Amino acid sequence: MDLKQLKSLISVVENNLNISQAADQLHLVQSAVSQQISRLEEEIGVKLFNRKGKRLAGLTPVGDEIVAYAYRTLANANSILEIAHDHINEFEGMLRIGTTHTQAQYILPPVIKAFSQEYPEVELQIHQGTPQQLVTKALHDEVDFAICTEALSESKDLVSMPSYNWNRSLITLKDSALLESDEITLEKLSTYPIVTYVHGFTGREVFNETFKKAGLKPQIVLSAADTDVIKTYVRSGMGVGVIANMTYVTDKDSDLVLRDLSELFPWETTKIAYKKDKYLRRHQQRFIDLFQGSVLKQEGLVAP
Amino acid sequence: MDLKQLKSLISVVENNLNISQAADQLHLVQSAVSQQISRLEEEIGVKLFNRKGKRLAGLTPVGDEIVAYAYRTLANANSILEIAHDHINEFEGMLRIGTTHTQAQYILPPVIKAFSQEYPEVELQIHQGTPQQLVTKALHDEVDFAICTEALSESKDLVSMPSYNWNRSLITLKDSALLESDEITLEKLSTYPIVTYVHGFTGREVFNETFKKAGLKPQIVLSAADTDVIKTYVRSGMGVGVIANMTYVTDKDSDLVLRDLSELFPWETTKIAYKKDKYLRRHQQRFIDLFQGSVLKQEGLVAP
DNA sequence: TCAGCTTACGGCTCACGTAACAATA
DNA sequence: TATTGTTACGTGAGCCGTAAGCTGA
């Protein structure tokens, strides 16, 4: 067995069982990849793919199991290269962060800035996606870190480190009727049209849960993955906004009134996660430190 | 990079940096292995070994890190072969159990018997060693399972499953003065010469701790890794024996008097462990089931 | 008919083995 | 001097690419 064969296998799987595409990706001709797969199958004595005539039509059950271990094998082999590169030049390389819009826009900028001053030669990539997508990307080594609030703890193949706690705030136009009452309750809130995050993002599940437990049904008139969009529609008068508290920017959002809602909702924890067994290069380790340090310094991000 | 290169690397490390020996083990000539290492070092751009002239004189720090990942890479690659073999013939193969004398002699026989009836074609190996050695063997894939009481929980790279609880019993000759008192206490015990297990085996640490906490010092006249040896010396009148309760065999040991000591000492837990991420072949999984099931059936092995 | 996989075959790379050399203990 | 690692070099296995043959859609 050979790493080349495993690479071919994975590439074929990732290209929807299209050997020709896989060959392109691997910079080989199609017959070469075909041979790799054949040899692998012959060597281990098991068919990896179901075939319809000469077309591939899905992985066999064994193939499926083997693909999982092929991923791990290649990931470990890759770590060896990373260790070596790290030792040759700590300051060169790449850092791929997978995160949601909220983090990328409101939390990461100071961290990224500090990091890139320390490591100007390291190429930074920010991959955006839903928490579920980020988990997948981290597991398939398409990003080095995933930073978000949801989904990270659900995979036991990720190491996830709690980074900071946050809760929700209300934003409204200055003349909103909701502001007239001294205390805002879930009940009152549920009588107003609300603009907040879509399913899967930035604590929306917990948001729903909270209303449900109280026997209430919020009126969501619009939901978005993106706090900027929420603010825009609140400004246009569509409803009151419920956003993560760290996304209110005093300078730019002073036309909106802010009310803390942390008495009404549970606290949330944003985490940074990476694949278990991943070798962390020194600059990657440093990024984690910077992230954990920076978020602690920002006001209001840590639970009382 | 190539799996062959990693195999060479590991083999050299395991043969105390002796390339010639490694070559023998790999069924290659010495120059071939030498070249593998050179090519690997050149390819990743890092020296893996410190050299004194032309002799290898230790791993570099990078080399050390890389060796750890090389182990994992090969273990995963190996899992792929196991998956395939398992699918071709679940009933063929090998099962390597690492355990202590106590388990091998008093607990495993019925499990082994049942297993080998189900899988007559599977070759069984019992590797004996100290708990520490068993951990190492399991981590380096020299055994499939380690079964013992100590040391297993200390490595986070092992999955260990609690299997059964046991405590200690006293064995003496029939005319021992210790038997005259109705209740046996730690204090009384400490006035008699004791024969029990050596350091590192079968609960000896906890045994020591228990006396120490009570402010007592037991008189250990002889210690052994092996219950049979302990019994022999108790029979010869050297002292009273403190043994694991599951090692008293009513049929054969009726010349010795048995007293339960579980009021005096904490309970111990024997576990079965395997390397995290290891692929378990079906017959291996079955062995665990048999082991867990069998020990539950045996009387007196589970804490009240 | 086209897209896509397999098979046959030739060339070439590269890993292994032999052998000579170098260096340590 | 014996043991062990490196280097040089010839050979052969095996991988890649070209090209022709199949086979579903």
Side-chain angles (χ1 to χ4, degrees):
Chain A
M1 197 169 48
D2 192 335
L3 288 178
K4 279 186 191 173
Q5 295 169 344
L6 300 182
K7 276 181 196 157
S8 294
L9 170 61
I10 298 250
S11 183
V12 169
V13 171
E14 288 190 341
N15 287 282
N16 303 312
L17 311 184
N18 185 321
I19 297 190
S20 311
Q21 269 184 47
D24 283 353
Q25 183 186 306
L26 295 167
H27 304 291
L28 290 172
V29 295
Q30 184 257 18
S31 77
V33 178
S34 198
Q35 289 174 61
Q36 297 277 18
I37 303 285
S38 305
R39 256 177 279 127
L40 180 58
E41 286 183 324
E42 192 183 4
E43 223 175 294
I44 67 180
V46 165
K47 286 282 172 215
L48 297 170
F49 295 101
N50 295 316
R51 288 171 171 81
K52 269 197 175 177
K54 297 202 170 183
R55 313 243 162 165
L56 302 191
L59 282 162
T60 61
V62 209
D64 204 49
E65 285 187 77
I66 287 181
V67 164
Y69 280 84
Y71 266 115
R72 296 188 199 178
T73 310
L74 292 178
N76 280 317
N78 208 44
S79 292
I80 292 179
L81 295 177
E82 301 244 300
I83 294 172
H85 288 149
D86 200 25
H87 191 257
I88 295 167
N89 191 347
E90 170 190 354
F91 296 97
E92 271 183 10
M94 198 190 286
L95 180 66
R96 302 162 303 166
I97 302 162
T99 191
T100 57
H101 178 270
T102 303
Q103 312 298 331
Q105 179 80 331
Y106 294 99
I107 296 294
L108 287 178
V111 186
I112 299 277
K113 194 177 173 194
F115 178 84
S116 103
Q117 274 169 359
E118 268 191 60
Y119 295 95
E121 301 296 316
V122 172
E123 180 187 332
L124 275 161
Q125 294 182 354
I126 295 191
H127 298 238
Q128 278 183 229
T130 67
Q132 280 74 14
Q133 289 171 336
L134 297 178
V135 167
T136 311
K137 277 175 191 277
L139 289 176
H140 285 10
D141 198 32
E142 291 166 34
V143 299
D144 297 307
F145 299 122
I147 301 175
C148 55
T149 304
E150 282 85 8
L152 293 182
S153 319
E154 286 157 30
S155 170
K156 65 176 185 50
D157 291 326
L158 292 180
V159 179
S160 72
M161 309 169 61
S163 302
Y164 68 90
N165 299 316
W166 57 268
N167 210 312
R168 292 150 188 82
S169 292
L170 180 79
I171 50 171
T172 67
L173 293 173
K174 286 186 175 165
D175 56 0
S176 169
L178 183 52
L179 296 173
E180 287 165 16
S181 44
D182 276 355
E183 198 191 357
I184 298 175
T185 62
L186 284 180
E187 264 180 343
K188 278 184 201 158
L189 206 51
S190 68
T191 63
Y192 286 77
I194 297 175
V195 185
T196 191
Y197 301 102
V198 292
H199 171 89
F201 277 89
T202 323
R204 175 61 191 273
E205 311 321 310
V206 174
F207 176 93
N208 285 354
E209 272 303 301
T210 307
F211 277 99
K212 198 175 172 186
K213 271 189 190 160
L216 298 169
K217 200 175 169 220
Q219 308 168 34
I220 311 293
V221 286
L222 193 143
S223 57
D226 176 331
T227 313
D228 297 338
V229 175
I230 296 174
K231 289 176 185 169
T232 301
Y233 284 90
V234 170
R235 286 192 172 100
S236 80
M238 280 202 63
V240 300
V242 176
I243 60 173
N245 55 6
M246 65 280 189
T247 63
Y248 182 87
V249 183
T250 316
D251 291 354
K252 295 185 177 168
D253 298 333
S254 52
D255 57 326
L256 297 170
V257 180
L258 182 74
R259 284 280 185 284
D260 181 49
L261 296 180
S262 56
E263 299 295 321
L264 304 184
F265 296 95
W267 287 80
E268 303 268 2
T269 303
T270 294
K271 305 168 212 69
I272 181 166
Y274 53 90
K275 199 177 163 203
K276 207 193 277 181
D277 285 345
K278 177 184 174 67
Y279 171 77
L280 290 184
R281 290 190 54 173
R282 224 169 304 175
H283 70 253
Q284 293 168 340
Q285 189 65 62
R286 180 69 182 137
F287 178 82
I288 294 184
D289 294 347
L290 282 172
F291 181 65
Q292 301 281 42
S294 158
V295 292
L296 286 179
K297 264 186 249 155
Q298 294 178 43
E299 289 292 325
L301 292 187
V302 182
Chain B
M1 197 168 49
D2 192 335
L3 289 178
K4 280 185 190 173
Q5 295 169 344
L6 299 183
K7 276 181 197 159
S8 294
L9 171 61
I10 298 263
S11 183
V12 169
V13 171
E14 288 190 340
N15 286 283
N16 302 311
L17 311 184
N18 185 321
I19 296 189
S20 311
Q21 269 184 48
D24 282 354
Q25 183 186 307
L26 296 167
H27 305 292
L28 290 172
V29 295
Q30 183 255 27
S31 76
V33 179
S34 198
Q35 288 173 62
Q36 296 276 18
I37 303 286
S38 305
R39 255 177 282 128
L40 180 57
E41 285 182 325
E42 192 183 3
E43 222 174 295
I44 67 179
V46 164
K47 287 280 171 214
L48 297 170
F49 294 102
N50 295 316
R51 288 170 169 80
K52 267 196 174 175
K54 295 203 169 183
R55 312 242 161 168
L56 303 190
L59 282 162
T60 60
V62 209
D64 205 49
E65 285 187 74
I66 287 181
V67 165
Y69 280 84
Y71 267 115
R72 296 186 200 181
T73 310
L74 292 178
N76 280 318
N78 209 43
S79 292
I80 293 178
L81 296 177
E82 301 244 301
I83 294 172
H85 288 149
D86 200 25
H87 191 257
I88 295 168
N89 192 346
E90 170 189 351
F91 296 96
E92 271 182 11
M94 197 191 285
L95 180 65
R96 302 162 303 166
I97 303 162
T99 190
T100 57
H101 178 271
T102 303
Q103 312 299 330
Q105 180 79 333
Y106 295 98
I107 296 296
L108 288 178
V111 187
I112 299 277
K113 195 177 171 196
F115 179 83
S116 102
Q117 274 170 356
E118 267 190 62
Y119 295 95
E121 302 296 318
V122 172
E123 179 187 334
L124 276 161
Q125 293 184 354
I126 295 192
H127 298 239
Q128 278 184 230
T130 67
Q132 279 74 16
Q133 288 170 336
L134 297 178
V135 167
T136 312
K137 278 175 191 279
L139 288 176
H140 286 185
D141 199 31
E142 290 167 33
V143 298
D144 297 308
F145 299 122
I147 302 176
C148 55
T149 305
E150 283 84 9
L152 293 182
S153 319
E154 287 156 30
S155 169
K156 67 176 183 48
D157 291 326
L158 291 181
V159 179
S160 73
M161 308 168 61
S163 302
Y164 68 91
N165 298 317
W166 56 269
N167 210 312
R168 292 149 188 84
S169 291
L170 180 79
I171 50 171
T172 68
L173 292 173
K174 288 186 174 165
D175 56 0
S176 169
L178 184 51
L179 296 173
E180 286 163 18
S181 45
D182 276 355
E183 199 192 357
I184 298 173
T185 63
L186 283 180
E187 263 181 341
K188 280 185 200 155
L189 206 52
S190 68
T191 63
Y192 287 77
I194 296 175
V195 186
T196 191
Y197 301 102
V198 293
H199 171 90
F201 276 90
T202 323
R204 175 60 191 274
E205 311 320 310
V206 173
F207 176 94
N208 285 355
E209 271 303 303
T210 306
F211 277 99
K212 199 174 170 188
K213 272 190 190 160
L216 297 168
K217 199 176 170 218
Q219 308 169 33
I220 311 293
V221 287
L222 192 144
S223 57
D226 178 330
T227 312
D228 297 338
V229 175
I230 296 175
K231 288 177 186 169
T232 302
Y233 283 91
V234 170
R235 287 193 171 99
S236 80
M238 279 203 63
V240 300
V242 176
I243 60 174
N245 54 7
M246 65 280 189
T247 63
Y248 183 86
V249 182
T250 316
D251 292 353
K252 296 185 177 167
D253 298 333
S254 53
D255 56 326
L256 297 171
V257 180
L258 181 75
R259 283 281 184 285
D260 181 51
L261 296 179
S262 57
E263 299 294 321
L264 304 184
F265 296 95
W267 287 81
E268 304 267 3
T269 303
T270 294
K271 306 169 212 68
I272 181 166
Y274 53 89
K275 199 176 163 205
K276 208 194 276 183
D277 284 346
K278 177 185 176 64
Y279 171 77
L280 290 184
R281 289 189 53 174
R282 225 169 302 175
H283 70 254
Q284 294 169 340
Q285 188 64 61
R286 180 69 184 138
F287 179 82
I288 295 184
D289 294 346
L290 281 172
F291 181 66
Q292 302 281 45
S294 158
V295 292
L296 286 179
K297 265 185 250 155
Q298 295 180 44
E299 289 293 324
L301 292 186
V302 182

